[in-house]
Amino acid sequence: MSLDLSQPLKPPSAARVAAYAGLLLLGAATGVAGSLVQAGWFPGGLLLALAGAVGLFLGGSRAVGTRAGAVAPAVGWMVAVVLLTAGRPEGDFLFAAGGGSYLFLLGGMATAVICATLGVGRQPIGADARLGK
């Protein structure tokens, strides 16, 4: 199958949109679970939470075959984590003001960017491709 990059893009199929929506929800669930685990079992929980996020980001990219497969769960992860960092009017919050929480936030964002960059991009396939010439 050859990918002709000179043709206009077509809108994604319903199955692809459903896959992106599922990955978005999985990213949100991973963000919520990771925020609970990273504080509970420090430092092993932090490593486990970040490894789960990386696995989801790269797995989504490989499963869908595009970089958007890594971006969709990363967006869900970030939205969930940012919503959990907000304090409530009663003064309750989920994240402590420790180094582990900051490592989780910044490490998760950095791994999301890295995984989206490493994801599979649009490349022409076939004999008519002029890659490497």
Side-chain angles (χ1 to χ4, degrees):
M1 179 180 145
S2 172
L3 178 64
D4 189 7
L5 296 177
S6 64
Q7 298 298 318
L9 295 174
K10 294 182 271 184
S13 65
R16 189 170 292 266
V17 170
Y20 290 145
L23 287 170
L24 184 92
L25 292 175
L26 277 174
T30 303
V32 170
S35 64
L36 295 173
V37 168
Q38 63 89 20
W41 299 318
F42 188 79
L46 174 64
L47 295 174
L48 181 65
L50 289 176
V54 168
L56 178 63
F57 302 155
L58 280 179
S61 174
R62 301 287 163 104
V64 178
T66 63
R67 288 186 177 137
V71 172
V75 167
W77 183 91
M78 249 182 266
V79 167
V81 170
V82 167
L83 287 177
L84 290 174
T85 60
R88 295 180 30 164
E90 296 87 15
D92 299 336
F93 56 93
L94 190 59
F95 284 98
S101 297
Y102 291 118
L103 283 174
F104 177 67
L105 291 171
L106 297 175
M109 289 181 204
T111 57
V113 170
I114 291 169
C115 292
T117 304
L118 292 176
V120 181
R122 292 181 60 202
Q123 290 291 322
I125 303 170
D128 57 345
R130 295 184 50 99
L131 297 177
K133 292 186 180 181

